[in-house]
Amino acid sequence: MPTHATVADLGERAIIDRIRARVPAAPAWVTVGIGDDAAVVEPERNALAVFTTDALVEGVHFDLAFTPPDAVGHKALAVNLSDLAAMGATPRAALLSLAVPPGLAVQDLDAVVEGMLALAARHRTALIGGNVARSPGPLVVDVTAIGAVRRRRILMRAGARPGDGIFVSGWVGASAAGLSSCRMRAMRGTSDSPPGGSCEARFLRPEPRVRLGQLLGRTRAATACIDLSDGLAEGLRQLALASEIGVLIEAEMLPIDDDTRRWFSDRGEDAVAAACAGGEDYELLFTVSPRRLRALTAVLRLTGELPCTRIGVVKRDRALVVRRAGHDETLPEGYAHFR
Amino acid sequence: MPTHATVADLGERAIIDRIRARVPAAPAWVTVGIGDDAAVVEPERNALAVFTTDALVEGVHFDLAFTPPDAVGHKALAVNLSDLAAMGATPRAALLSLAVPPGLAVQDLDAVVEGMLALAARHRTALIGGNVARSPGPLVVDVTAIGAVRRRRILMRAGARPGDGIFVSGWVGASAAGLSSCRMRAMRGTSDSPPGGSCEARFLRPEPRVRLGQLLGRTRAATACIDLSDGLAEGLRQLALASEIGVLIEAEMLPIDDDTRRWFSDRGEDAVAAACAGGEDYELLFTVSPRRLRALTAVLRLTGELPCTRIGVVKRDRALVVRRAGHDETLPEGYAHFR
């Protein structure tokens, strides 16, 4: 295959064969895998099935000018595993639906698939089916993820109660800084240089908090949970809406790492506002009742290097407030895709 | 809402709210429905789970110049239910992932969703989740369908044996004639006239053969089954490949209805070749062993007005042959999306 070959040179059947050749052998609970009209799977015993779907669209969620194609594949699965994690579920399988422009290089398509499969392997997620269509416009990578969760371990957005502590995993704002940094590199025409910096890595290859979600569900440590796809502010808003509560966030407590602070301060931007508004952190935002803080401590011993930071408290009054240097402000708006 | 409003006027959250408002109450086995990070569902007892995903892309699979938006929604679900039917599965749920151009009229988006939900209601399929993204290019309607099937009732592409009869449900070629007819109307600038003719209806709103698939699985009447998405020839090719057999098709037996024959003959085209090559029939192609013909008769009594026609026989020799007026020819190629 010459390196400049495009998917138009291959045809649909050959593209599917190429993808299948990269997929490892299916686990025993996959009764019918890739290659028939549909996949057939044994349900997990004593568990409910969990489903989510999310798409990455070229020109909206990624730009091939500064996104390595394997990062597109990684992220398309990661955003879905993040949704499963927010329910306390264990990933089991995924379906991949691609809309592919005919001019896409075959090696880029291979890299998209390989990026997805590498993350899938780390989370024991079997690719059991999919679909390849031609796109007259952008590359669209649509993933459906399938997980399992026991009934009593389901985490939902509803359930937070006044007095619960509000926690967030990892760091916020890094992905927004990373996007900004990637864009700047691309504009400078240095798009071929390897992406560097912790912020860019967080933007390009977010790590879904699967283990944390499972542990929060298993231990019943969290009263409510959501994943941060559209920014901390939007996550808080959705959690508050579902739980019918308000929040008081301490700006000083937000886990914003040094690289992120430096990125925003170097540009005269407010790191706290950027971290609230910036999307795509794919961290878990969750609430813990004061009586369950011990369970949370046990969880955190098991999640290794991933920190969870208390950033505020759930309030009965339904306002969304950030306290900063003694001043209370209303939470800024989150990221909105159509505006 | 003014009739000329576009999705860009609404924003993502309002679009999702609009879709949710149209979705009927979820059945009791949906533990968590639309509105959380993921959907949670009780598995069907004593059954395996069946998954398929397929997307319709504007400009490739449909053209809004001659496709009513409700037909787009209908068909996006229909092609997936057709895949479930080909496995002998009963549909249970669906996920809808939309990539929407900001300029799409809100009423067109509403119609897409309503077209999908109307078909879903007829097949007791619950819309349990989804995703809305912006598209800088075409409208992409990606559906994942979830079904259930008992282990001994699974229909697969593999399983056809020499001597089995080859059957197809309904009619072939009508969808290809319908596409051609729709295109011609659009070119003539009569795109506002209501679509007419049985062929156009078959192209615009294919009826997935869900009941037939269930019955073929339940009675073990079929040894192999596939749905016709890319044409009869391609369906036969895939079935033959999976079952490691050949086929002998009798051209005179192909169920081509009068409207379809007339359409092709009026244009000097060969209806048999068109029916073999034309895609999107969404009929079931299946094989029946001579010993199970009685079971098939029982099935056909239950499928009402839907005929199933014997079109040929499975051969040990792996050639794909059409016999026509005493002459044997090799099967023509099916529809290929990237060529």
Side-chain angles (χ1 to χ4, degrees), chain A residues 146-322:
Chain A
I146 303 163
V149 68
R150 297 202 175 203
R151 186 182 294 275
R152 283 179 43 80
R153 295 177 178 176
I154 301 172
L155 299 174
M156 291 176 63
R157 295 180 180 182
R161 282 164 303 201
D164 287 357
I166 302 173
F167 292 80
V168 69
S169 66
W171 300 269
V172 291
S175 184
L179 166 59
S180 169
S181 164
C182 282
R183 276 194 179 138
M184 207 157 281
R185 274 198 309 114
M187 280 197 314
R188 286 190 192 126
T190 54
S191 61
D192 286 337
S193 66
S198 68
C199 296
E200 290 195 17
R202 297 290 314 284
F203 167 69
L204 292 172
R205 292 184 185 80
E207 205 51 57
R209 305 309 189 186
V210 172
R211 177 92 176 121
L212 175 63
Q214 289 171 325
L215 289 167
L216 290 175
R218 193 176 302 171
T219 59
R220 307 298 307 148
T223 50
C225 186
I226 186 173
D227 85 312
L228 295 182
S229 49
D230 297 335
L232 177 63
E234 184 61 24
L236 286 163
R237 194 180 316 276
Q238 293 300 326
L239 193 138
L241 197 66
S243 293
E244 303 184 345
I245 47 91
V247 301
L248 174 61
I249 301 299
E250 303 281 351
E252 280 73 22
M253 301 301 292
L254 293 184
I256 303 173
D257 68 21
D258 291 345
D259 283 357
T260 305
R261 282 193 197 279
R262 199 174 310 122
W263 176 267
F264 286 116
S265 73
D266 284 357
R267 276 145 199 88
E269 287 180 58
D270 177 2
V272 168
C276 284
E280 304 207 278
D281 286 316
Y282 299 106
E283 297 292 353
L284 294 185
L285 175 73
F286 56 96
T287 54
V288 179
S289 97
R291 292 180 301 122
R292 299 297 288 155
L293 286 175
R294 254 211 179 135
L296 179 62
T297 309
V299 165
L300 295 183
R301 266 200 299 271
L302 294 169
T303 53
E305 291 174 15
L306 179 68
C308 287
T309 309
R310 185 186 165 108
I311 61 170
V313 66
V314 175
K315 293 288 193 183
R316 190 173 306 278
D317 174 52
R318 294 190 58 178
L320 306 175
V321 176
V322 186

Side-chain angles (χ1 to χ4, degrees), chain A residues 12 46 52 66 87 90 95 102 107 165 178 210 223 254 258 283 336:
Chain A
E12 186 181 357
N46 303 318
T52 186
F66 55 76
M87 304 301 290
T90 301
L95 301 160
Q107 61 186 17
V210 172
T223 50
L254 293 184
D258 291 345
E283 297 292 353

